[in-house]
Amino acid sequence: MTGTASPTPMRFPDRLRLPLRFDAALLRRDLDRLAQAEWIDHFVKQNYDGEWSVIALRAVAGASHPVMMIYSDPSARSFVDTPVLEACPYFQEVLAAFGCPLLAVRLMQLSPGSVIREHRDYDLRFEDGAVRFHIPIITNLDVDFRLNGQRVVMDAGTAWYLRLSDPHSVANRGQSSRVHLVIDALADDWVEAMLVDAVAAAMPAAP
């Protein structure tokens, strides 16, 4: 007898606010330190309209070309800090708060009026061994981030797990750029425990 394989059961919701909070002013201060750094256009041009650009803070070991440095290679397991991160002490402090193996870490900027079309990042869900965390640094009320068709509102300094193997899109309809610190990591026991805590914190209090 043949049939369609059952989908992998999802251990966690598609979005979780993590039990971590970072200083929005200090995040912005470190971003301002990079005023002269070069933002590299995201290389997957078919996924967006407008301007979507990246600065690598951790990159695949040995990568030297700017495009390869901003690429989050799902098969790579050896990543190193880039020289840009050395100028950003608070970003270093933020990354140290994550007690899991870190892969690519990038600043990702979506300019006003730009749109990231709906797409999936198939390798990014806890159940498959890799996760992506988002920490907004600059945002505005007119940023429309959609995951599975539902809006996710993320304030500066908050931290989020998003299951980006599911359909998601972003439209920046505001007057300022949206900049997130985006962290890819291996889904180890530390990540699992943090997501369990996040689920518990999201549950409504008993009457």
Side-chain angles (χ1 to χ4, degrees):
M1 180 177 179
T2 60
T4 303
S6 298
T8 303
M10 295 296 103
R11 173 82 187 278
F12 296 105
D14 64 355
R15 71 206 68 191
L16 281 170
R17 180 171 171 175
L18 304 179
L20 298 169
R21 180 84 193 202
F22 301 104
D23 190 309
L26 294 181
L27 289 168
R28 180 64 181 264
R29 185 191 66 183
D30 269 14
L31 180 64
D32 290 343
R33 293 174 185 269
L34 303 181
Q36 303 305 313
E38 182 181 7
W39 290 87
I40 306 299
D41 290 343
H42 199 290
F43 52 89
V44 188
K45 301 290 188 179
Q46 67 270 24
N47 275 4
Y48 65 97
D49 295 313
E51 297 180 9
W52 187 22
S53 54
V54 185
I55 292 177
L57 301 182
R58 281 180 60 81
V60 174
S64 57
H65 190 281
V67 171
M68 294 308 298
M69 291 180 71
I70 68 171
Y71 175 48
S72 180
D73 184 349
S75 66
R77 287 297 179 266
S78 181
F79 289 79
V80 296
D81 296 346
T82 69
V84 173
L85 183 59
E86 296 176 6
C88 303
Y90 191 63
F91 289 166
Q92 295 176 44
E93 184 177 329
V94 170
L95 298 184
F98 290 83
C100 53
L102 301 184
L103 306 175
V105 177
R106 297 166 293 172
L107 297 169
M108 305 191 79
Q109 177 174 236
L110 189 65
S111 298
S114 300
V115 173
I116 302 173
R117 300 189 189 103
E118 185 176 273
H119 66 286
R120 297 171 182 249
D121 298 298
Y122 286 96
D123 54 313
L124 287 173
R125 62 180 180 182
F126 174 86
E127 292 77 11
D128 289 337
V131 293
R132 177 166 291 173
F133 302 122
H134 273 247
I135 301 171
I137 300 175
I138 301 174
T139 190
N140 63 74
L141 295 176
D142 294 314
V143 170
D144 188 359
F145 188 111
R146 298 273 167 167
L147 178 57
N148 286 316
Q150 299 296 315
R151 191 175 184 188
V152 186
V153 178
M154 296 176 276
D155 296 329
T158 60
W160 293 78
Y161 163 70
L162 303 167
R163 191 171 68 224
L164 298 181
S165 60
D166 290 0
H168 59 284
S169 63
V170 192
N172 183 3
R173 302 188 179 96
Q175 300 300 309
S176 61
S177 289
R178 184 205 79 155
V179 181
H180 281 197
L181 176 60
V182 179
I183 302 168
D184 290 354
L186 293 180
D188 64 357
D189 291 345
W190 184 90
V191 170
E192 180 178 19
M194 182 172 61
L195 296 185
V196 168
D197 288 345
V199 169
M203 295 178 63

